[in-house]
């Protein structure tokens, strides 16, 4: 199989627009449901949020204003081990999923109290079924001895974890192809339409046809959605990520701002900016990220930064996903979120099942875009 | 730490291009900052020239010492020179914004920032990566490294010593080391048959610079006279280790015969290519130069890049050698002076005449040299089991596998295999990766593209970054 | 310590020499040397082992491009030897795989 062939006789059941973590996760789930799937992807030069993210499989604190979001995040976390196992079995690639829990460090009392209020509230709303722990500095040091004196405390979420996002992308890709899927790096989709029962996809290089189409093109969904009777009010939100040299392992739990990968690289992040489609970095924000990280872990002061980038989160107005089936163009589905890694297993499971069989085992009504109507 | 001066021009790199440009700009009344990561002026080609290490000046030859003039000119100029300045990021505003460029640097582990209206990148060239089996063994170094050792430390590498590759530098270093008393066990020419024939059509151009041609011939004669065993059309090159993982010998084929030479040092060279790290990080346009098999930043005849306030001069804009570099530096500086209205159009035209003529003389020989010394394919797209990425230890076959898995470009290949993610950030693997992807997917290198290079282009500690958090 | 045949020093103009401690052995080097030249002169080859496979490496380009010359200088791991000028009393040792931030931290605390 080569991505450059034009096999005009082959017509997939479903075309997934976008070959990132979201698109691939859904595509694999569709294959599991017996469908022939093709992925139409923009190519190496696209914005590609899947290459820029932090790799957290994160639950704590998510969905404080939407209980259903908390539910699906936790569900996804529970489905993740099997998903990772499947990928390992089918591709031999270990995506380094680790779910020993995660920590959110706070550098002042206000922050810590805010966090406590948030999680306590969420626990109440879940009738007590929402595990977390408040830690002071001493207790935090049981987890991470290197936590600095400026840290006042942290919240521990036992269901949190992380994964290697690049290995994940690679494993998803290889698995998809192994199972007969085709990935077309066709450039941007110029026109999406439906004639009768058939969807027609025109890219800058090729045309495709299929029975169903899934919009999983990240920020690209904004332009695609209206063409099939859907609505994707998406805006980019930049997060700058700093990558430091490999060092011997010391950070054995992921935190919301600092994480150490399996091979020893230290990743710093978690900034939020509205800068349009700029994937660059700014000295001020980088310095702020660095300052915060070295307050959390003073030994990081001497580590070397070797690369930094800006990644664009795909944000809806309320920050929650959109999962929606088109009414006017039956067979078109919108799948968009900014936590594609955490929700990967959920997309591979219940979302793919929903698209394939039109049955919902999970409540998706809350994720309909009509909630944005004025 | 912020330097509040707004410079007219910041020059990054104090080699011949940078020194020449800085001096020229200062002459025209510009406020100039000259930044360089070395402790003193000279760049690589005139390294340590301010205070030469070797007592015997005949070893390196007259060309090296000719650079003294440029150094003296800088020392006598009105400009701000920042030695040991490692530039790790340059941010430029939008093209139509009139605010200045911001240069982030680190001097002795202290973060600093300065601003300039115009930027001249004069960061020079680097050796083309020369992947072959065993090229990462302790004892294998570039020919340029051996020359740097002579210049900075009056030191010669451990014997027995073998030189391998292609390019004028091979002859030069062989001659210099011989003059230094090193007995060279072999000079292995890896060019395939036919290079002389291929270069012939360009001979006319070369004949316009007879002195340079004559120099080449003289070096050839010197090397032959020294009795250095010369092997031609060398293939199947491999560096082999002893049980302690140190270089023990080099094996190769020539005239269908298997050969082996014991050596403690193997000097490798396949030509020099522009160092595009900064120009790439600035997202300037680049073009693939087919005859030199490398990337050039796109520039006009004044050295102006695809960003109107950023200029490029010297070997970083295209290999022209030291003399050519001094002239491109001067030409760019004059244009920059004009763009800041420090000189008239008439003066620009007048002053640019001489360096332009001199530059033409240096560049006319390039097509001949490019063809004559074009590397053998195996150094551009090495065999499967050869290490392509030294930092992340990724093999050529891993890259080929990625292409088969659907990677269409170097960035996805990087994401999937970690190639280019190490400390060197692609400097030693970028060219090879683009070449391999192009070959495997049967597309031109220009279409395949290059890594997206990001700041910091030199590593800085978080501590230095925090210094800027004001 | 050095297990390789050392590089050879020719007659030089250097008149100032400093003491470097390379793998705890005192070595006299000219003041203008880079640490890379000093370790080559002293025969410290290999000078590092890679984080991934523990492969042996040594300086390769000497101009700051290849990052092979990483060594530990005065307790600071992963320092580019070719970009560092020698200073009197400097302590240099082989870089063993990835840096240990905790070790550096202890060293800092001891100062």
């Amino acid at each position: 199989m080569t991505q450059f062939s034009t096999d005009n006789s082959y017509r997939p059941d479903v075309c997934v627009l976008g070959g990132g973590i979201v698109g691939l996760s859904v595509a694999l789930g569709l294959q599991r449901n017996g469908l022939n799937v093709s992925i139409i992807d923009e190519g190496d030069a696209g914005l590609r949020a899947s290459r820029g993210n932090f790799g957290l499989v994160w639950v704590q604190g998510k969905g404080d204003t939407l209980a259903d979001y908390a539910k699906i995040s936790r569900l996804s976390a529970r489905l993740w081990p099997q998903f990772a196992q499947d990928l390992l079995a089918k591709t031999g690639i270990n995506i380094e999923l680790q779910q020993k829990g995660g920590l959110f460090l706070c550098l002042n009392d206000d922050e810590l109290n805010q966090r406590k209020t948030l999680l306590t509230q969420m626990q109440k709303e879940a009738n007590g079924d929402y595990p977390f722990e408040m830690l002071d500095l001493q207790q935090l040091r049981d987890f991470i001895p290197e936590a600095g004196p400026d840290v006042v405390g942290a919240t521990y979420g036992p269901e949190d974890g992380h994964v290697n996002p690049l290995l994940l992308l690679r494993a998803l890709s290889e698995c998809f192809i192994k199972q007969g899927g085709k990935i077309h790096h066709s450039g941007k989709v110029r026109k999406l339409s439906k004639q009768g029962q058939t969807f027609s996809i025109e890219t800058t290089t090729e045309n495709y046809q299929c029975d169903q189409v899934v919009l999983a093109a990240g920020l690209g969904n904004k332009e695609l959605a209206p063409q099939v009777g859907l609505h994707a009010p998406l805006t980019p939100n930049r997060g700058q990520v700093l990558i430091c040299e490999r060092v011997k392992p010391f950070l054995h739990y992921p935190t919301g701002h600092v994480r150490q990968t399996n091979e020893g690289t230290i990743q710093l992040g978690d900034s939020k900016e509205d800068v349009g489609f700029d994937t660059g970095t700014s000295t001020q924000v980088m310095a702020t990220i660095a300052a915060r990280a070295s307050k959390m872990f003073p030994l990081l002061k001497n580590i070397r930064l070797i690369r930094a980038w800006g990644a664009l989160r795909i944000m809806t107005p309320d920050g929650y996903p959109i999962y929606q089936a088109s009414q006017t163009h039956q067979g078109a589905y919108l799948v968009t979120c900014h936590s594609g890694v955490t929700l990967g297993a959920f997309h591979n499971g219940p979302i793919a099942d929903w698209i394939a069989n039109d049955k919902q085992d999970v409540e998706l009504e809350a994720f309909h875009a009509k909630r944005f109507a004025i | 730490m912020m330097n509040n001066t707004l410079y007219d021009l910041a020059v990054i790199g104090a080699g011949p291009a940078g020194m020449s440009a800085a001096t020229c700009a200062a002459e025209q009344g510009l406020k100039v900052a000259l930044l360089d990561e070395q402790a003193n002026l000279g760049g690589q080609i005139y390294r340590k020239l301010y205070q030469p290490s070797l007592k015997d000046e005949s070893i390196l030859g007259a060309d090296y010492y000719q650079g003294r003039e440029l150094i003296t000119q800088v020392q006598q100029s009105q400009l701000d020179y920042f030695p040991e300045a490692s530039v790790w990021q340059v941010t430029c505003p939008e093209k139509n914004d009139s605010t200045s460029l911001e240069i982030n640097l680190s001097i002795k582990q202290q973060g600093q920032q300065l601003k300039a209206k115009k930027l001249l990148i004069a960061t020079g060239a680097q050796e083309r990566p020369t992947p072959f089996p065993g090229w990462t063994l302790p004892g294998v170094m570039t020919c340029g490294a051996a020359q740097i050792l002579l210049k900075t430390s009056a030191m010669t590498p451990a014997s027995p010593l073998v030189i391998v590759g292609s390019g004028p530098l091979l002859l030069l270093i062989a001659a210099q080391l011989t003059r230094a008393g090193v007995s060279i066990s072999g000079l292995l020419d890896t060019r395939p048959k036919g290079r002389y024939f291929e270069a012939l059509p360009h001979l006319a151009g070369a004949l316009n610079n007879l002195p340079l041609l004559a120099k080449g011939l003289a070096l050839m004669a010197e090397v032959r006279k020294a009795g250095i065993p010369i092997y031609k059309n060398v293939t199947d090159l491999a560096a082999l280790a002893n049980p302690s993982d140190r270089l023990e010998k080099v094996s190769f084929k020539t005239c269908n015969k298997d050969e082996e030479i014991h050596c403690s040092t193997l000097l490798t060279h396949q030509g020099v290519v522009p160092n595009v790290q900064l120009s790439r990080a600035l997202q300037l346009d680049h073009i693939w130069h087919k005859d030199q098999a490398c990337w050039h930043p796109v520039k006009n005849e004044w050295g102006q890049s695809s960003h109107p306030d950023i200029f490029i001069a010297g070997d970083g804009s295209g290999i022209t050698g030291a003399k050519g570099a001094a002239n491109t530096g001067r030409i760019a500086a004059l244009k920059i002076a004009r763009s800041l209205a420090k000189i008239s159009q008439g003066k620009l035209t007048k002053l640019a005449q001489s360096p332009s003529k001199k530059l033409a003389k240096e560049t006319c020989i390039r097509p001949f040299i490019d063809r004559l010394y074009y590397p053998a394919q195996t150094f551009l797209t090495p065999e499967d089991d050869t290490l392509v990425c030294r930092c992340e230890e990724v093999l050529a076959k891993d890259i080929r596998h990625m292409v088969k898995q659907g990677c269409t470009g170097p960035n996805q290949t990087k994401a999937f295999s970690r190639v280019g993610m190490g400390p060197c950030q692609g400097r030693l693997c970028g060219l090879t990766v683009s070449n391999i992807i192009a070959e495997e997917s049967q597309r031109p290198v220009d279409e395949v593209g290059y890594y997206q290079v990001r700041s910091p282009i030199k590593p800085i500690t978080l501590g230095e970054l925090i210094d800027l958090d004001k | 310590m050095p297990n390789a045949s050392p590089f050879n020093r020719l007659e030089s103009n250097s008149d100032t020499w400093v003491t470097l401690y390379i793998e705890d052995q005192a070595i006299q080097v000219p003041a203008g040397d880079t640490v890379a030249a000093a370790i080559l002169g002293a025969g410290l080859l290999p000078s590092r082992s890679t984080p991934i496979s523990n492969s042996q490496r040594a300086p390769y380009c000497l101009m700051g491009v290849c990052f092979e010359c990483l060594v530990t200088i005065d307790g600071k791991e992963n320092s580019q030897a070719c970009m560092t000028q020698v200073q009197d009393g400097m302590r240099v040792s082989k870089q063993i795989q990835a840096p240990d931030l905790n070790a550096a931290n202890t060293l800092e605390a001891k100062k």
Side-chain angles (χ1 to χ4, degrees):
Chain A
M1 172 259 159
T2 127
Q3 71 276 21
F4 306 103
S5 75
T6 334
D7 191 347
N8 289 315
S9 60
Y10 174 78
R11 183 199 146 112
D13 298 315
V14 190
C15 275
V16 175
L17 307 184
I21 290 176
V22 172
L24 280 163
S25 301
V26 172
L28 283 178
L30 295 173
Q31 284 179 322
R32 180 172 42 77
N33 276 282
L35 295 167
N36 279 319
V37 188
S38 281
I39 288 180
I40 317 296
D41 186 79
E42 191 180 342
D44 207 52
L47 284 170
R48 314 223 69 102
S50 291
R51 288 211 293 247
N53 65 72
F54 218 62
L56 294 179
V57 179
W58 205 252
V59 162
Q60 65 163 288
K62 280 190 176 163
D64 57 320
T65 57
L66 184 63
D68 278 338
Y69 186 56
K71 272 206 195 95
I72 63 170
S73 298
R74 295 186 68 197
L75 172 60
S76 198
R78 285 200 290 273
L79 294 173
W80 252 108
Q82 186 60 54
F83 190 25
Q85 201 36 51
D86 288 344
L87 287 172
L88 175 64
K90 289 178 184 153
T91 66
I93 295 172
N94 177 352
I95 60 176
E96 297 163 7
L97 173 69
Q98 201 189 82
Q99 289 178 293
K100 297 193 308 189
L103 296 149
F104 189 95
L105 275 63
C106 299
L107 292 172
N108 60 60
D109 290 316
D110 275 343
E111 238 192 301
L112 191 62
N113 287 328
Q114 251 176 49
R115 195 98 190 132
K116 182 176 181 182
T117 310
L118 178 87
L119 296 179
T120 310
Q121 181 62 29
M122 291 184 76
Q123 193 176 63
K124 215 168 104 188
E125 271 165 21
N127 289 322
D129 179 22
Y130 195 81
F132 76 93
E133 269 175 60
M134 298 301 301
L135 306 173
D136 61 27
L137 180 56
Q138 266 321 109
Q139 293 163 322
L140 173 61
R141 282 181 170 158
D142 287 338
F143 288 86
I144 310 172
E146 293 83 3
D150 285 334
V151 180
V152 302
T155 58
Y156 171 70
E159 297 177 330
D160 296 328
H162 57 164
V163 76
N164 184 322
L166 297 179
L167 282 178
L168 170 60
L169 198 54
R170 188 178 146 194
L172 291 171
S173 199
E174 285 195 25
C175 189
F176 177 70
I177 293 170
K178 244 192 176 130
Q179 294 177 162
K182 292 193 194 312
I183 303 181
H184 302 278
H185 297 280
S186 320
K188 261 193 144 101
V189 171
R190 271 209 295 243
K191 186 163 168 219
L192 182 56
S193 56
K194 192 177 184 192
Q195 285 91 37
Q197 300 295 343
T198 306
F199 282 95
S200 184
I201 300 154
E202 283 170 43
T203 70
T204 52
T205 56
E206 281 299 325
N207 295 345
Y208 304 92
Q209 303 196 311
C210 51
D211 301 330
Q212 280 180 297
V213 69
V214 178
L215 274 57
L219 289 165
N221 277 347
K222 187 171 181 187
E223 272 178 45
L224 295 171
Q227 299 178 48
V228 284
L230 290 161
H231 179 45
L234 302 172
T235 50
N237 180 279
R238 184 170 76 181
Q240 296 189 32
V241 179
L242 275 57
I243 301 289
C244 302
E245 59 190 341
R246 285 166 196 263
V247 294
K248 292 200 164 62
F250 74 91
L251 193 56
H252 302 292
Y253 295 85
T255 75
H257 303 88
V258 185
R259 153 181 187 247
Q260 185 167 27
T261 68
N262 233 49
E263 72 266 350
T265 312
I266 296 286
Q267 272 183 241
L268 315 176
D270 205 42
S271 62
K272 295 174 173 68
E273 301 168 273
D274 283 315
V275 288
F277 289 86
D278 187 347
T279 59
T281 51
S282 68
T283 320
Q284 188 50 56
V285 171
M286 282 165 60
T288 306
I289 294 174
R292 183 175 55 199
S294 85
K295 275 216 180 86
M296 291 178 173
F297 306 107
L299 84 178
L300 288 177
K301 213 147 190 257
N302 291 317
I303 202 175
R304 278 178 197 81
L305 175 67
I306 57 174
R307 189 178 171 85
W309 66 74
L312 300 175
R313 297 182 185 87
I314 295 114
M315 296 304 287
T316 55
D318 58 6
Y320 297 124
I322 303 175
Y323 302 123
Q324 190 176 336
S326 175
Q327 293 303 322
T328 55
H329 295 65
Q330 298 230 340
Y333 295 82
L334 177 58
V335 176
T336 182
C337 68
H338 75 79
S339 276
V341 177
T342 303
L343 295 169
F346 176 69
H347 293 157
N348 178 251
I351 290 294
D353 290 344
W354 163 58
I355 294 170
N357 310 310
D358 198 25
K359 68 177 173 76
Q360 279 174 222
D361 283 334
V362 182
E363 195 52 65
L364 293 178
E365 192 61 22
F367 302 108
H368 200 284
K370 66 181 180 235
R371 72 190 192 263
F372 302 123
I374 308 143
Chain B
M1 204 196 294
M2 294 273 285
N3 180 324
N4 284 318
T5 321
L6 172 60
Y7 289 93
D8 289 318
L9 171 65
V11 178
I12 304 179
M19 288 194 289
S20 183
T23 309
C24 179
E27 255 168 45
Q28 312 310 328
L30 275 73
K31 194 158 182 53
V32 180
L34 175 60
L35 312 169
D36 190 271
E37 62 188 0
Q38 300 290 336
N40 269 283
L41 299 165
Q44 295 307 328
I45 196 137
Y46 298 132
R47 197 149 161 187
K48 200 81 175 352
L49 185 52
Y50 74 97
Q51 216 176 61
S53 293
L54 279 167
K55 248 207 167 81
D56 182 356
E57 296 202 351
S58 73
I59 294 174
L60 287 170
D63 280 348
Y64 174 63
Y65 298 93
Q66 262 169 27
R68 273 186 174 128
E69 204 187 309
L70 276 174
I71 291 179
T72 312
Q73 280 169 10
V74 172
Q75 287 167 336
Q76 290 172 348
S77 288
Q78 277 275 84
L79 53 84
D80 287 347
Y81 166 51
F82 296 83
E84 292 185 277
S86 185
V87 172
W88 59 269
Q89 179 174 267
V90 175
T91 36
C92 53
E94 290 306 304
K95 284 181 191 181
N96 50 13
D97 195 325
S98 61
T99 58
S100 55
L101 300 152
E102 262 177 26
I103 297 148
N104 287 298
L105 49 134
S106 174
I107 299 185
K108 294 199 208 281
Q109 262 115 63
Q110 277 261 293
Q112 286 192 47
Q113 200 179 71
L114 58 83
K115 287 184 159 66
K117 294 179 188 165
K118 307 280 177 183
L119 177 70
L120 176 66
I121 301 174
T123 49
Q126 59 168 79
E127 298 240 9
R128 180 194 303 281
T130 68
F132 60 85
W135 71 305
T136 55
L137 284 174
V140 180
M141 296 197 308
T142 61
C143 284
Q147 211 179 52
I148 288 170
L149 271 182
L150 275 173
K151 289 171 181 169
T152 61
S153 311
M155 194 185 278
T156 56
S159 285
L161 184 147
V162 171
I163 303 177
V164 62
S166 159
L169 187 56
L170 242 68
L171 287 176
L172 178 59
I173 194 66
Q176 290 171 331
L177 287 174
T178 304
R179 296 170 202 159
V182 176
S183 171
I184 298 169
S185 306
L187 193 150
L188 281 41
D189 188 337
T190 56
R191 289 176 296 164
K193 286 199 176 92
R195 287 288 186 259
Y196 283 100
F197 185 70
E198 290 160 25
L200 266 179
H202 305 287
L203 186 58
L207 291 172
N208 280 320
N209 194 337
L210 280 174
L212 197 54
L213 265 184
K215 266 195 194 129
L217 291 169
L219 283 175
M220 247 185 257
E222 190 180 344
V223 166
R224 272 205 206 98
K225 190 165 166 222
I228 299 169
I230 297 176
Y231 301 83
K232 289 194 159 13
N233 308 130
V234 165
T235 62
D236 299 88
L237 177 70
L240 303 166
N242 66 16
S244 322
D245 275 325
R246 270 222 64 211
L247 173 68
E248 184 180 54
K249 55 190 174 185
V250 59
S251 77
F252 58 98
K253 264 197 174 85
T254 175
C255 306
N256 283 320
K257 252 179 70 188
D258 287 328
E259 298 277 356
E260 228 177 56
I261 305 179
H262 277 256
C263 52
S264 294
T265 304
L266 180 63
L267 300 179
T268 169
H269 181 76
Q270 293 288 340
V272 287
V273 296
N275 178 342
V276 295
Q277 208 70 4
L278 182 54
S279 54
R280 283 280 183 191
L282 284 163
Q283 300 194 296
L284 303 175
D285 292 343
H286 288 74
I287 195 168
W288 179 253
H289 193 300
K290 210 155 143 277
D291 293 332
Q292 292 181 1
C294 65
W295 299 94
H296 283 198
V298 168
K299 66 182 202 297
N300 62 19
E301 72 270 33
W302 299 105
Q304 195 174 28
S305 75
S306 51
H307 187 294
D309 296 328
I310 302 177
F311 288 70
I312 316 188
D315 276 357
S317 63
I319 307 300
T320 54
K323 287 211 179 86
N327 288 305
T328 53
R330 174 160 257 100
I331 290 166
L334 290 169
K335 179 66 173 173
I336 290 167
R338 171 68 198 135
S339 72
L340 290 171
K342 299 280 186 179
I343 59 174
S344 68
Q345 182 63 37
K347 197 167 180 203
L348 168 65
T349 314
K350 185 158 165 260
L351 290 176
Q353 261 175 13
S354 171
S356 299
K357 266 207 199 93
K358 290 187 185 143
L359 178 63
K361 195 149 184 266
E362 297 304 315
T363 53
C364 63
I365 199 175
R366 286 313 313 180
F368 177 71
I369 301 225
D370 292 344
R371 208 54 234 161
L372 187 62
Y373 292 112
Y374 191 86
Q377 191 60 34
T378 186
F379 296 101
L380 304 174
T381 51
E383 293 299 311
D384 276 348
D385 287 321
T386 313
L387 267 178
V388 168
C389 176
R390 297 173 65 118
C391 298
E392 292 292 322
E393 306 190 49
V394 182
L395 300 169
K397 71 177 170 209
D398 298 329
I399 310 298
R400 291 190 173 103
H401 174 76
M402 294 298 149
V403 178
K404 290 197 182 74
Q405 287 298 317
C407 283
T408 55
N411 293 295
Q412 189 167 5
T413 308
K414 176 199 259 188
F416 278 17
S417 68
R418 288 197 61 84
V419 74
M421 286 191 178
C424 94
Q425 287 290 291
R427 288 169 173 89
L428 288 203
C429 64
L431 278 170
T432 315
V433 169
S434 293
N435 281 332
I436 292 177
I437 296 174
E439 193 181 64
E440 290 299 307
S441 60
Q442 285 163 13
R443 286 181 294 148
V445 184
D446 232 338
E447 198 188 297
V448 166
Y450 191 76
Y451 295 136
Q452 181 164 43
V453 176
R454 297 279 197 173
S455 308
I457 59 163
K458 289 275 168 159
I460 54 163
T461 63
L462 289 191
E464 291 169 53
L465 187 54
I466 292 165
D467 281 345
L468 299 167
D469 184 24
K470 301 289 171 280
Chain C
M1 199 266 286
N3 50 16
S5 49
F7 286 34
N8 189 37
R9 286 193 190 269
L10 304 170
E11 220 191 330
S12 107
N13 290 320
S14 297
D15 48 5
T16 323
W17 291 68
V18 297
T19 308
L20 233 63
Y21 295 91
I22 301 180
E23 297 277 308
D24 290 326
Q25 219 178 66
I27 313 268
Q28 296 293 305
V29 303
D33 260 14
T34 59
V35 173
I39 62 179
L40 288 173
L44 182 70
L45 256 84
S47 51
R48 84 171 179 114
S49 62
T50 61
I52 300 176
S53 70
N54 207 21
S55 290
Q56 306 302 308
R57 301 288 175 91
Y60 174 77
C61 79
L62 294 187
M63 52 179 279
V65 163
C66 72
F67 290 80
E68 289 286 6
C69 64
L70 302 176
V71 287
T72 301
I73 299 178
D74 288 339
K76 289 204 166 83
E77 296 195 70
N78 268 4
S79 299
Q80 272 179 297
C82 73
M83 303 297 290
T84 314
Q85 295 290 122
V86 297
Q87 304 279 352
D88 197 41
M90 212 176 227
R91 305 200 76 90
V92 181
S93 57
K94 190 172 168 186
Q95 180 64 46
I96 314 283
Q97 299 197 275
D100 186 343
L101 289 180
N102 272 311
N105 214 32
T106 323
L107 208 73
E108 282 273 317
K110 281 196 188 140
K111 280 197 185 145

